[in-house]
């Protein structure tokens, strides 16, 4: 019986390899099988403007992916899924967009490069957490998980500790505060977490947690231009990597058509009208037809796609929609 069972395992393994199946292992998720797809050379690659980008289509003409010049953010069409946060909003976002990071910034014609072929073929069927799913792993009641070193890398996050005055919560909680670990930056002193900020991320710290720590985009410790994601929202908007989609004109932005899921959206919500002081991640159009984002906020004490202390919308006449100023694709 044991020999039969072993033979059966070998037969199944050979069948899997013959079918072109790939087993993915990740610290974040249990193993799953992703089915390989046809060679990228069999697809068509069309060019579009504003911003310059490559539209990947299959044989039926359906869009498979969107790759933006000078950006690492790629939107790949995949299985539909729904994002929700019932404790803060009745709205949901149903989408087939899976937001992935390319190994390097995209350039026109890179579809013929070996690095792209090696990345794109398995990525088309990869169902591990992408930018959007990772962002939702820190909202209200999100389950926590620790890695092999005992570091809690996901789970319900707060915004920051209560201010000494008792009025509101403190900013300046970065991703390493949430994690409770030291971090070495290439351009600034090492980041050292504060005990009282454990489990907390402010708005830009949240973006850095998602794109940097979780998904591998280089991180800077300063607000200067460099090879990585700066610390503050205004610096990410001004000198961050990628492509500026909606320039800050000092007034409310309304260029919704420029956005795709995973883009960063920036707001002016505090005292200085010349400084962009809040950042979120665009999720897409919700079930009410509105443009919804997720960000870490003081009023609800942490990341949310909800409507506590202001609806998480770019359109309409609410607090955040009227404060939206700019957008960037990393």
């Amino acid at each position: 019986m044991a020999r039969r069972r072993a033979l059966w395992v070998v037969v199944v393994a050979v069948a899997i390899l013959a079918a072109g199946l790939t087993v993915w292992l990740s610290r974040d998720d249990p193993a799953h099988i992703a089915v390989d797809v046809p060679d990228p050379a069999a697809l068509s690659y069309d060019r579009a403007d504003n911003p310059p980008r490559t539209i990947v289509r299959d044989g039926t003409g359906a869009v498979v992916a969107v790759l933006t010049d000078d950006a690492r953010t790629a939107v790949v069409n995949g299985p539909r899924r729904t994002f929700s946060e019932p404790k803060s909003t009745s709205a949901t976002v149903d989408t087939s967009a899976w937001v992935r990071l390319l190994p390097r910034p995209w350039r026109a014609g890179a579809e013929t490069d070996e690095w792209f072929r090696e990345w794109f073929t398995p990525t088309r069927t990869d169902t591990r957490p992408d930018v959007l799913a990772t962002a939702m792993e820190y909202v209200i009641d999100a389950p926590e998980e620790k890695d092999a070193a005992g570091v809690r890398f996901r789970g319900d996050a707060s915004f920051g500790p209560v201010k000494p005055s008792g009025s509101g919560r403190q900013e300046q909680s970065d991703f390493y505060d949430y994690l409770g670990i030291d971090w070495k930056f290439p351009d600034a002193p090492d980041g050292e977490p504060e005990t009282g900020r454990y489990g907390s991320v402010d708005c830009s710290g949240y973006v850095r947690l998602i794109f940097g720590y979780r998904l591998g985009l280089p991180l800077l410790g300063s607000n200067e231009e460099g090879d990585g994601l700066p610390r503050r929202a205004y610096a990410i908007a001004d000198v961050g990597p990628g492509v500026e989609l909606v320039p800050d004109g000092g007034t409310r932005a309304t260029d919704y058509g420029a956005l795709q899921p995973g883009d960063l959206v920036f707001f002016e919500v505090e005292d200085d009208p010349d400084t962009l002081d809040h950042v979120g991640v665009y999720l897409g159009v919700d079930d009410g037809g509105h443009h919804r984002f997720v960000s870490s906020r003081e009023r609800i004490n942490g990341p949310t796609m909800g409507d506590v202390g202001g609806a998480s919308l770019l359109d309409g006449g609410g607090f955040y929609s009227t404060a939206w100023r700019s957008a960037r694709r990393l």
Side-chain angles (χ1 to χ4, degrees):
M1 180 65 70
R3 292 183 62 186
R4 288 183 180 178
R5 184 174 301 157
L7 179 60
W8 179 83
V9 170
V10 171
V11 170
V12 171
V14 171
I16 287 175
L17 292 174
L21 300 179
T22 305
V23 177
W24 290 96
L25 294 175
S26 168
R27 74 169 187 181
D28 293 350
D29 291 276
H32 71 276
I33 294 175
V35 182
D36 283 349
V37 294
D39 190 295
L43 302 169
S44 65
Y45 297 82
D46 303 325
R47 293 291 293 169
D49 296 319
N50 300 319
R53 62 198 187 278
T54 299
I55 312 296
V56 187
R57 300 181 188 274
D58 64 17
T60 70
V63 174
V64 172
V66 179
L67 313 165
T68 303
D69 292 8
D70 299 321
R72 287 185 57 185
T73 302
V75 172
V76 181
N77 192 48
R80 297 201 72 85
R81 59 215 168 126
T82 299
F83 296 114
S84 64
E85 190 185 335
K87 286 194 174 180
S88 66
T89 182
S90 61
T92 61
V93 174
D94 182 73
T95 182
S96 61
W98 291 68
V99 184
R100 301 291 184 187
L101 290 187
L102 289 152
R104 61 186 72 175
W106 179 253
R107 63 171 179 78
E111 61 268 18
T112 61
D113 293 351
E114 186 63 26
W115 71 264
F116 175 70
R117 292 170 177 266
E118 292 178 352
W119 174 83
F120 191 49
T121 298
T123 296
R124 286 189 61 187
T125 51
D126 187 0
T127 56
R128 290 174 296 180
D130 67 331
V131 168
L132 305 186
T134 301
M136 295 301 294
E137 290 180 348
Y138 301 95
V139 300
I140 299 171
D141 292 340
E144 69 176 51
E145 184 176 351
K146 296 181 179 180
D147 63 18
V151 176
R152 182 182 67 170
F153 63 90
R154 65 180 172 192
D156 189 341
S158 62
F159 179 82
V162 176
K163 294 178 180 178
S165 64
S167 60
R169 293 182 175 274
Q170 300 177 30
E171 298 182 6
Q172 301 181 356
S173 293
D174 204 354
F175 70 96
Y176 56 81
D177 290 302
Y178 175 88
L179 300 164
I181 61 174
D182 293 340
W183 193 264
K184 292 185 178 298
F185 292 109
D187 64 331
D190 294 351
E192 298 180 356
E194 296 182 25
T195 302
R197 295 181 182 273
Y198 178 68
S200 300
V201 276
D202 62 17
C203 64
S204 53
Y206 173 55
V207 166
R208 284 155 62 85
L209 180 60
I210 298 166
F211 284 90
Y213 182 78
R214 289 294 302 278
L215 299 178
L217 196 70
L219 291 165
L220 301 176
S222 72
N223 296 307
E224 303 300 320
E225 185 174 5
D227 182 21
L229 201 60
R231 171 63 183 99
R232 298 286 300 279
Y234 75 85
I236 298 173
D238 291 345
V239 298
V243 179
E244 185 180 56
L245 300 172
V246 180
D248 178 19
T251 59
R252 175 181 179 175
T254 57
D255 193 1
Y256 311 112
L259 302 175
Q260 68 182 23
D263 290 342
L264 298 186
V265 286
F266 301 89
F267 307 83
E268 190 286 296
V269 296
E270 295 182 355
D271 297 332
D272 184 355
D274 297 323
T275 300
L276 298 175
D277 43 41
H278 189 71
V279 58
V281 180
Y282 180 62
L283 293 175
V285 178
D286 65 20
D287 59 337
H290 295 290
H291 296 274
R292 188 165 290 270
F293 67 94
V294 57
S295 68
S296 186
R297 311 215 295 257
E298 180 180 348
R299 285 284 299 277
I300 200 169
N301 191 24
T304 183
M305 61 171 279
D307 303 322
V308 176
S312 298
L313 301 178
L314 300 180
D315 53 337
F319 178 73
Y320 287 99
S321 63
T322 56
W324 179 39
R325 295 288 187 274
S326 177
R328 175 173 289 274
R329 185 167 300 159
L330 295 179

